[in-house]
PDB file of all heavy atoms in Angstrom:
ATOM      1  N   TYR A 277      -5.793  15.181  16.593  1.00 97.00           N
ATOM      2  CA  TYR A 277      -6.308  13.889  16.411  1.00 97.00           C
ATOM      3  C   TYR A 277      -5.367  12.930  15.860  1.00 97.00           C
ATOM      4  O   TYR A 277      -4.487  13.263  15.052  1.00 97.00           O
ATOM      5  CB  TYR A 277      -7.569  13.958  15.437  1.00 97.00           C
ATOM      6  CG  TYR A 277      -8.755  14.692  16.049  1.00 97.00           C
ATOM      7  CD1 TYR A 277      -8.935  15.929  16.143  1.00 97.00           C
ATOM      8  CD2 TYR A 277      -9.804  13.825  16.605  1.00 97.00           C
ATOM      9  CE1 TYR A 277      -9.968  16.621  16.657  1.00 97.00           C
ATOM     10  CE2 TYR A 277     -10.978  14.413  17.103  1.00 97.00           C
ATOM     11  CZ  TYR A 277     -11.079  15.823  17.202  1.00 97.00           C
ATOM     12  OH  TYR A 277     -12.089  16.414  17.665  1.00 97.00           O
ATOM     13  N   VAL A 278      -5.734  11.673  16.044  1.00 98.00           N
ATOM     14  CA  VAL A 278      -5.263  10.487  15.314  1.00 98.00           C
ATOM     15  C   VAL A 278      -6.458   9.871  14.731  1.00 98.00           C
ATOM     16  O   VAL A 278      -7.395   9.570  15.463  1.00 98.00           O
ATOM     17  CB  VAL A 278      -4.360   9.635  16.123  1.00 98.00           C
ATOM     18  CG1 VAL A 278      -5.064   8.969  17.288  1.00 98.00           C
ATOM     19  CG2 VAL A 278      -3.699   8.496  15.133  1.00 98.00           C
ATOM     20  N   PHE A 279      -6.470   9.676  13.551  1.00 98.00           N
ATOM     21  CA  PHE A 279      -7.594   8.909  12.755  1.00 98.00           C
ATOM     22  C   PHE A 279      -7.065   7.621  12.168  1.00 98.00           C
ATOM     23  O   PHE A 279      -5.932   7.480  11.795  1.00 98.00           O
ATOM     24  CB  PHE A 279      -8.189   9.774  11.483  1.00 98.00           C
ATOM     25  CG  PHE A 279      -8.492  11.152  11.956  1.00 98.00           C
ATOM     26  CD1 PHE A 279      -7.726  12.307  11.678  1.00 98.00           C
ATOM     27  CD2 PHE A 279      -9.849  11.424  12.520  1.00 98.00           C
ATOM     28  CE1 PHE A 279      -8.219  13.575  11.987  1.00 98.00           C
ATOM     29  CE2 PHE A 279     -10.323  12.612  12.755  1.00 98.00           C
ATOM     30  CZ  PHE A 279      -9.515  13.658  12.653  1.00 98.00           C
ATOM     31  N   ILE A 280      -7.988   6.655  12.401  1.00 98.00           N
ATOM     32  CA  ILE A 280      -7.628   5.289  11.888  1.00 98.00           C
ATOM     33  C   ILE A 280      -8.651   4.827  10.941  1.00 98.00           C
ATOM     34  O   ILE A 280      -9.763   4.748  11.174  1.00 98.00           O
ATOM     35  CB  ILE A 280      -7.691   4.181  13.133  1.00 98.00           C
ATOM     36  CG1 ILE A 280      -6.744   4.699  14.267  1.00 98.00           C
ATOM     37  CG2 ILE A 280      -7.297   2.898  12.639  1.00 98.00           C
ATOM     38  CD1 ILE A 280      -6.936   3.921  15.438  1.00 98.00           C
ATOM     39  N   LEU A 281      -8.161   4.670   9.704  1.00 97.00           N
ATOM     40  CA  LEU A 281      -8.971   4.285   8.497  1.00 97.00           C
ATOM     41  C   LEU A 281      -8.838   2.769   8.266  1.00 97.00           C
ATOM     42  O   LEU A 281      -7.597   2.391   8.120  1.00 97.00           O
ATOM     43  CB  LEU A 281      -8.612   5.064   7.281  1.00 97.00           C
ATOM     44  CG  LEU A 281      -9.151   4.469   5.926  1.00 97.00           C
ATOM     45  CD1 LEU A 281     -10.632   4.688   5.958  1.00 97.00           C
ATOM     46  CD2 LEU A 281      -8.510   5.192   4.872  1.00 97.00           C
ATOM     47  N   ASP A 282      -9.873   2.051   8.311  1.00 95.00           N
ATOM     48  CA  ASP A 282      -9.734   0.641   7.797  1.00 95.00           C
ATOM     49  C   ASP A 282      -9.988   0.790   6.252  1.00 95.00           C
ATOM     50  O   ASP A 282     -11.091   1.066   5.772  1.00 95.00           O
ATOM     51  CB  ASP A 282     -10.930  -0.145   8.357  1.00 95.00           C
ATOM     52  CG  ASP A 282     -10.823  -1.631   8.032  1.00 95.00           C
ATOM     53  OD1 ASP A 282     -10.408  -1.958   6.767  1.00 95.00           O
ATOM     54  OD2 ASP A 282     -11.295  -2.578   8.621  1.00 95.00           O
ATOM     55  N   ALA A 283      -8.816   0.744   5.575  1.00 92.00           N
ATOM     56  CA  ALA A 283      -8.918   0.917   4.071  1.00 92.00           C
ATOM     57  C   ALA A 283      -9.696  -0.124   3.294  1.00 92.00           C
ATOM     58  O   ALA A 283     -10.329   0.396   2.246  1.00 92.00           O
ATOM     59  CB  ALA A 283      -7.441   0.964   3.530  1.00 92.00           C
ATOM     60  N   LYS A 284      -9.932  -1.280   3.768  1.00 90.00           N
ATOM     61  CA  LYS A 284     -10.822  -2.158   3.032  1.00 90.00           C
ATOM     62  C   LYS A 284     -12.366  -1.826   3.343  1.00 90.00           C
ATOM     63  O   LYS A 284     -13.065  -1.825   2.443  1.00 90.00           O
ATOM     64  CB  LYS A 284     -10.515  -3.544   3.420  1.00 90.00           C
ATOM     65  CG  LYS A 284      -9.173  -4.190   3.088  1.00 90.00           C
ATOM     66  CD  LYS A 284      -9.180  -5.525   3.225  1.00 90.00           C
ATOM     67  CE  LYS A 284      -7.762  -6.147   2.763  1.00 90.00           C
ATOM     68  NZ  LYS A 284      -7.407  -5.894   1.409  1.00 90.00           N
ATOM     69  N   ALA A 285     -12.735  -1.517   4.508  1.00 91.00           N
ATOM     70  CA  ALA A 285     -14.156  -1.226   4.838  1.00 91.00           C
ATOM     71  C   ALA A 285     -14.427   0.218   4.734  1.00 91.00           C
ATOM     72  O   ALA A 285     -15.718   0.527   4.492  1.00 91.00           O
ATOM     73  CB  ALA A 285     -14.332  -1.501   6.314  1.00 91.00           C
ATOM     74  N   GLY A 286     -13.507   1.090   4.583  1.00 91.00           N
ATOM     75  CA  GLY A 286     -13.837   2.582   4.492  1.00 91.00           C
ATOM     76  C   GLY A 286     -14.294   3.220   5.727  1.00 91.00           C
ATOM     77  O   GLY A 286     -14.737   4.256   5.599  1.00 91.00           O
ATOM     78  N   GLU A 287     -14.139   2.502   6.874  1.00 95.00           N
ATOM     79  CA  GLU A 287     -14.583   3.120   8.126  1.00 95.00           C
ATOM     80  C   GLU A 287     -13.415   3.794   8.821  1.00 95.00           C
ATOM     81  O   GLU A 287     -12.343   3.461   8.926  1.00 95.00           O
ATOM     82  CB  GLU A 287     -14.978   1.997   9.019  1.00 95.00           C
ATOM     83  CG  GLU A 287     -16.233   1.229   8.277  1.00 95.00           C
ATOM     84  CD  GLU A 287     -16.618  -0.094   9.176  1.00 95.00           C
ATOM     85  OE1 GLU A 287     -15.862  -0.426  10.221  1.00 95.00           O
ATOM     86  OE2 GLU A 287     -17.719  -0.672   8.757  1.00 95.00           O
ATOM     87  N   VAL A 288     -13.802   4.930   9.506  1.00 96.00           N
ATOM     88  CA  VAL A 288     -12.781   5.682  10.322  1.00 96.00           C
ATOM     89  C   VAL A 288     -13.152   5.861  11.690  1.00 96.00           C
ATOM     90  O   VAL A 288     -14.310   6.065  12.058  1.00 96.00           O
ATOM     91  CB  VAL A 288     -12.625   7.155   9.553  1.00 96.00           C
ATOM     92  CG1 VAL A 288     -11.636   8.087  10.435  1.00 96.00           C
ATOM     93  CG2 VAL A 288     -12.343   7.015   8.189  1.00 96.00           C
ATOM     94  N   THR A 289     -12.127   5.750  12.626  1.00 97.00           N
ATOM     95  CA  THR A 289     -12.270   6.028  14.009  1.00 97.00           C
ATOM     96  C   THR A 289     -11.394   7.191  14.278  1.00 97.00           C
ATOM     97  O   THR A 289     -10.251   7.266  13.885  1.00 97.00           O
ATOM     98  CB  THR A 289     -11.916   4.673  14.845  1.00 97.00           C
ATOM     99  OG1 THR A 289     -12.724   3.724  14.458  1.00 97.00           O
ATOM    100  CG2 THR A 289     -12.144   5.089  16.341  1.00 97.00           C
ATOM    101  N   GLY A 290     -11.986   8.159  15.105  1.00 96.00           N
ATOM    102  CA  GLY A 290     -10.938   9.233  15.454  1.00 96.00           C
ATOM    103  C   GLY A 290     -10.812   9.312  16.970  1.00 96.00           C
ATOM    104  O   GLY A 290     -11.656   8.918  17.759  1.00 96.00           O
ATOM    105  N   HIS A 291      -9.625   9.715  17.343  1.00 97.00           N
ATOM    106  CA  HIS A 291      -9.263   9.805  18.795  1.00 97.00           C
ATOM    107  C   HIS A 291      -8.698  11.169  19.045  1.00 97.00           C
ATOM    108  O   HIS A 291      -7.622  11.593  18.465  1.00 97.00           O
ATOM    109  CB  HIS A 291      -8.216   8.751  19.228  1.00 97.00           C
ATOM    110  CG  HIS A 291      -8.785   7.402  19.185  1.00 97.00           C
ATOM    111  ND1 HIS A 291      -9.371   6.710  20.106  1.00 97.00           N
ATOM    112  CD2 HIS A 291      -8.577   6.455  18.174  1.00 97.00           C
ATOM    113  CE1 HIS A 291      -9.683   5.541  19.798  1.00 97.00           C
ATOM    114  NE2 HIS A 291      -9.254   5.186  18.680  1.00 97.00           N
ATOM    115  N   ARG A 292      -9.490  11.973  19.831  1.00 97.00           N
ATOM    116  CA  ARG A 292      -8.930  13.338  20.162  1.00 97.00           C
ATOM    117  C   ARG A 292      -7.931  13.249  21.166  1.00 97.00           C
ATOM    118  O   ARG A 292      -7.920  12.550  22.205  1.00 97.00           O
ATOM    119  CB  ARG A 292     -10.189  14.107  20.747  1.00 97.00           C
ATOM    120  CG  ARG A 292      -9.655  15.587  20.857  1.00 97.00           C
ATOM    121  CD  ARG A 292     -10.714  16.383  21.456  1.00 97.00           C
ATOM    122  NE  ARG A 292     -10.170  17.764  21.618  1.00 97.00           N
ATOM    123  CZ  ARG A 292     -10.708  18.858  21.205  1.00 97.00           C
ATOM    124  NH1 ARG A 292     -11.710  18.933  20.384  1.00 97.00           N
ATOM    125  NH2 ARG A 292     -10.123  19.986  21.594  1.00 97.00           N
ATOM    126  N   LEU A 293      -6.790  13.972  20.842  1.00 97.00           N
ATOM    127  CA  LEU A 293      -5.640  14.023  21.770  1.00 97.00           C
ATOM    128  C   LEU A 293      -5.804  15.254  22.781  1.00 97.00           C
ATOM    129  O   LEU A 293      -6.386  16.114  22.522  1.00 97.00           O
ATOM    130  CB  LEU A 293      -4.295  14.122  20.835  1.00 97.00           C
ATOM    131  CG  LEU A 293      -4.275  13.024  19.783  1.00 97.00           C
ATOM    132  CD1 LEU A 293      -3.100  13.414  18.805  1.00 97.00           C
ATOM    133  CD2 LEU A 293      -4.034  11.728  20.426  1.00 97.00           C
ATOM    134  N   ASP A 294      -4.937  15.112  23.839  1.00 94.00           N
ATOM    135  CA  ASP A 294      -4.749  16.069  24.819  1.00 94.00           C
ATOM    136  C   ASP A 294      -3.659  17.062  24.250  1.00 94.00           C
ATOM    137  O   ASP A 294      -2.584  16.822  24.502  1.00 94.00           O
ATOM    138  CB  ASP A 294      -4.388  15.533  26.141  1.00 94.00           C
ATOM    139  CG  ASP A 294      -4.374  16.567  27.294  1.00 94.00           C
ATOM    140  OD1 ASP A 294      -5.020  17.698  27.080  1.00 94.00           O
ATOM    141  OD2 ASP A 294      -3.661  16.352  28.176  1.00 94.00           O
ATOM    142  N   GLY A 295      -4.098  17.978  23.520  1.00 93.00           N
ATOM    143  CA  GLY A 295      -3.116  19.017  23.024  1.00 93.00           C
ATOM    144  C   GLY A 295      -2.895  18.474  21.428  1.00 93.00           C
ATOM    145  O   GLY A 295      -3.703  17.713  20.942  1.00 93.00           O
ATOM    146  N   TYR A 296      -1.745  18.947  20.974  1.00 96.00           N
ATOM    147  CA  TYR A 296      -1.312  18.671  19.554  1.00 96.00           C
ATOM    148  C   TYR A 296      -0.844  17.348  19.316  1.00 96.00           C
ATOM    149  O   TYR A 296      -0.290  16.653  20.288  1.00 96.00           O
ATOM    150  CB  TYR A 296      -0.505  19.873  19.014  1.00 96.00           C
ATOM    151  CG  TYR A 296       0.937  19.701  19.828  1.00 96.00           C
ATOM    152  CD1 TYR A 296       1.844  18.884  19.531  1.00 96.00           C
ATOM    153  CD2 TYR A 296       1.139  20.673  20.703  1.00 96.00           C
ATOM    154  CE1 TYR A 296       3.134  18.807  20.178  1.00 96.00           C
ATOM    155  CE2 TYR A 296       2.271  20.655  21.430  1.00 96.00           C
ATOM    156  CZ  TYR A 296       3.328  19.789  21.181  1.00 96.00           C
ATOM    157  OH  TYR A 296       4.519  19.767  21.878  1.00 96.00           O
ATOM    158  N   PHE A 297      -1.010  16.815  18.148  1.00 97.00           N
ATOM    159  CA  PHE A 297      -0.560  15.580  17.661  1.00 97.00           C
ATOM    160  C   PHE A 297       0.934  15.733  17.627  1.00 97.00           C
ATOM    161  O   PHE A 297       1.562  16.734  17.188  1.00 97.00           O
ATOM    162  CB  PHE A 297      -1.000  15.210  16.259  1.00 97.00           C
ATOM    163  CG  PHE A 297      -0.225  14.107  15.666  1.00 97.00           C
ATOM    164  CD1 PHE A 297      -0.464  12.777  16.113  1.00 97.00           C
ATOM    165  CD2 PHE A 297       0.806  14.396  14.666  1.00 97.00           C
ATOM    166  CE1 PHE A 297       0.457  11.767  15.424  1.00 97.00           C
ATOM    167  CE2 PHE A 297       1.454  13.449  14.012  1.00 97.00           C
ATOM    168  CZ  PHE A 297       1.375  12.156  14.398  1.00 97.00           C
ATOM    169  N   GLY A 298       1.790  14.642  18.124  1.00 97.00           N
ATOM    170  CA  GLY A 298       3.191  14.739  18.014  1.00 97.00           C
ATOM    171  C   GLY A 298       3.853  13.788  17.009  1.00 97.00           C
ATOM    172  O   GLY A 298       4.388  14.195  16.102  1.00 97.00           O
ATOM    173  N   ARG A 299       3.609  12.480  17.261  1.00 97.00           N
ATOM    174  CA  ARG A 299       4.323  11.497  16.305  1.00 97.00           C
ATOM    175  C   ARG A 299       3.679  10.206  16.446  1.00 97.00           C
ATOM    176  O   ARG A 299       2.968   9.839  17.361  1.00 97.00           O
ATOM    177  CB  ARG A 299       5.768  11.402  16.758  1.00 97.00           C
ATOM    178  CG  ARG A 299       6.580  10.514  15.946  1.00 97.00           C
ATOM    179  CD  ARG A 299       8.116  10.712  15.956  1.00 97.00           C
ATOM    180  NE  ARG A 299       8.669   9.829  15.092  1.00 97.00           N
ATOM    181  CZ  ARG A 299       9.958   9.295  15.325  1.00 97.00           C
ATOM    182  NH1 ARG A 299      10.634   9.760  16.291  1.00 97.00           N
ATOM    183  NH2 ARG A 299      10.385   8.423  14.472  1.00 97.00           N
ATOM    184  N   ILE A 300       3.813   9.469  15.348  1.00 97.00           N
ATOM    185  CA  ILE A 300       3.426   8.018  15.232  1.00 97.00           C
ATOM    186  C   ILE A 300       4.720   7.175  15.247  1.00 97.00           C
ATOM    187  O   ILE A 300       5.566   7.463  14.522  1.00 97.00           O
ATOM    188  CB  ILE A 300       2.557   7.716  13.894  1.00 97.00           C
ATOM    189  CG1 ILE A 300       1.287   8.569  13.957  1.00 97.00           C
ATOM    190  CG2 ILE A 300       2.271   6.197  13.940  1.00 97.00           C
ATOM    191  CD1 ILE A 300       0.420   8.420  12.760  1.00 97.00           C
ATOM    192  N   TYR A 301       4.631   6.029  15.994  1.00 97.00           N
ATOM    193  CA  TYR A 301       5.687   5.157  16.104  1.00 97.00           C
ATOM    194  C   TYR A 301       5.136   3.762  15.685  1.00 97.00           C
ATOM    195  O   TYR A 301       4.043   3.368  16.123  1.00 97.00           O
ATOM    196  CB  TYR A 301       6.302   5.006  17.465  1.00 97.00           C
ATOM    197  CG  TYR A 301       6.862   6.234  17.963  1.00 97.00           C
ATOM    198  CD1 TYR A 301       6.182   7.221  18.612  1.00 97.00           C
ATOM    199  CD2 TYR A 301       8.238   6.508  17.978  1.00 97.00           C
ATOM    200  CE1 TYR A 301       6.564   8.382  19.171  1.00 97.00           C
ATOM    201  CE2 TYR A 301       8.724   7.802  18.489  1.00 97.00           C
ATOM    202  CZ  TYR A 301       7.894   8.571  19.121  1.00 97.00           C
ATOM    203  OH  TYR A 301       8.331   9.761  19.627  1.00 97.00           O
ATOM    204  N   ASP A 302       6.085   2.958  15.013  1.00 94.00           N
ATOM    205  CA  ASP A 302       5.722   1.529  14.727  1.00 94.00           C
ATOM    206  C   ASP A 302       6.843   0.621  14.858  1.00 94.00           C
ATOM    207  O   ASP A 302       7.874   1.138  15.343  1.00 94.00           O
ATOM    208  CB  ASP A 302       4.908   1.323  13.358  1.00 94.00           C
ATOM    209  CG  ASP A 302       5.892   1.765  12.168  1.00 94.00           C
ATOM    210  OD1 ASP A 302       7.077   1.840  12.292  1.00 94.00           O
ATOM    211  OD2 ASP A 302       5.274   1.985  10.943  1.00 94.00           O
ATOM    212  N   GLY A 303       6.766  -0.545  14.392  1.00 89.00           N
ATOM    213  CA  GLY A 303       7.969  -1.513  14.355  1.00 89.00           C
ATOM    214  C   GLY A 303       9.205  -0.983  13.624  1.00 89.00           C
ATOM    215  O   GLY A 303      10.254  -1.458  14.004  1.00 89.00           O
ATOM    216  N   SER A 304       9.041  -0.049  12.814  1.00 91.00           N
ATOM    217  CA  SER A 304      10.356   0.366  12.034  1.00 91.00           C
ATOM    218  C   SER A 304      11.107   1.390  12.951  1.00 91.00           C
ATOM    219  O   SER A 304      12.280   1.640  12.687  1.00 91.00           O
ATOM    220  CB  SER A 304       9.969   1.142  10.772  1.00 91.00           C
ATOM    221  OG  SER A 304       9.115   2.298  10.985  1.00 91.00           O
ATOM    222  N   ASP A 305      10.456   1.844  14.014  1.00 93.00           N
ATOM    223  CA  ASP A 305      10.986   2.838  14.892  1.00 93.00           C
ATOM    224  C   ASP A 305      11.700   2.045  16.070  1.00 93.00           C
ATOM    225  O   ASP A 305      12.652   2.545  16.740  1.00 93.00           O
ATOM    226  CB  ASP A 305       9.987   3.846  15.544  1.00 93.00           C
ATOM    227  CG  ASP A 305       9.481   4.684  14.400  1.00 93.00           C
ATOM    228  OD1 ASP A 305      10.253   5.399  13.849  1.00 93.00           O
ATOM    229  OD2 ASP A 305       8.332   4.615  14.158  1.00 93.00           O
ATOM    230  N   PHE A 306      11.210   0.860  16.580  1.00 91.00           N
ATOM    231  CA  PHE A 306      11.584   0.077  17.700  1.00 91.00           C
ATOM    232  C   PHE A 306      11.746  -1.333  17.216  1.00 91.00           C
ATOM    233  O   PHE A 306      10.737  -2.002  16.824  1.00 91.00           O
ATOM    234  CB  PHE A 306      10.658   0.237  18.758  1.00 91.00           C
ATOM    235  CG  PHE A 306      10.276   1.477  19.265  1.00 91.00           C
ATOM    236  CD1 PHE A 306       9.024   2.008  19.157  1.00 91.00           C
ATOM    237  CD2 PHE A 306      11.333   2.204  19.823  1.00 91.00           C
ATOM    238  CE1 PHE A 306       8.775   3.359  19.632  1.00 91.00           C
ATOM    239  CE2 PHE A 306      10.980   3.609  20.238  1.00 91.00           C
ATOM    240  CZ  PHE A 306       9.822   4.055  20.106  1.00 91.00           C
ATOM    241  N   GLU A 307      13.003  -1.907  17.254  1.00 85.00           N
ATOM    242  CA  GLU A 307      13.078  -3.250  16.810  1.00 85.00           C
ATOM    243  C   GLU A 307      12.542  -4.295  17.835  1.00 85.00           C
ATOM    244  O   GLU A 307      12.278  -5.409  17.418  1.00 85.00           O
ATOM    245  CB  GLU A 307      14.580  -3.581  16.499  1.00 85.00           C
ATOM    246  CG  GLU A 307      15.476  -3.591  17.754  1.00 85.00           C
ATOM    247  CD  GLU A 307      16.924  -3.822  17.451  1.00 85.00           C
ATOM    248  OE1 GLU A 307      17.529  -3.119  16.581  1.00 85.00           O
ATOM    249  OE2 GLU A 307      17.456  -4.792  18.037  1.00 85.00           O
ATOM    250  N   ASN A 308      12.349  -3.915  19.028  1.00 87.00           N
ATOM    251  CA  ASN A 308      11.798  -4.711  20.025  1.00 87.00           C
ATOM    252  C   ASN A 308      10.367  -4.378  20.391  1.00 87.00           C
ATOM    253  O   ASN A 308       9.827  -4.663  21.515  1.00 87.00           O
ATOM    254  CB  ASN A 308      12.686  -4.699  21.150  1.00 87.00           C
ATOM    255  CG  ASN A 308      14.048  -5.251  20.995  1.00 87.00           C
ATOM    256  OD1 ASN A 308      14.174  -6.300  20.349  1.00 87.00           O
ATOM    257  ND2 ASN A 308      15.014  -4.598  21.466  1.00 87.00           N
TER     258      ASN A 308
END
Side-chain angles (χ1 to χ4, degrees):
Y277 286 85
V278 60
F279 299 103
I280 304 167
L281 166 68
D282 181 329
K284 291 199 184 298
E287 297 173 354
V288 178
T289 304
H291 295 276
R292 186 175 173 129
L293 303 171
D294 184 23
Y296 61 81
F297 165 77
R299 185 161 177 206
I300 298 175
Y301 300 86
D302 64 16
S304 67
D305 297 298
F306 304 115
E307 66 181 58
N308 295 318

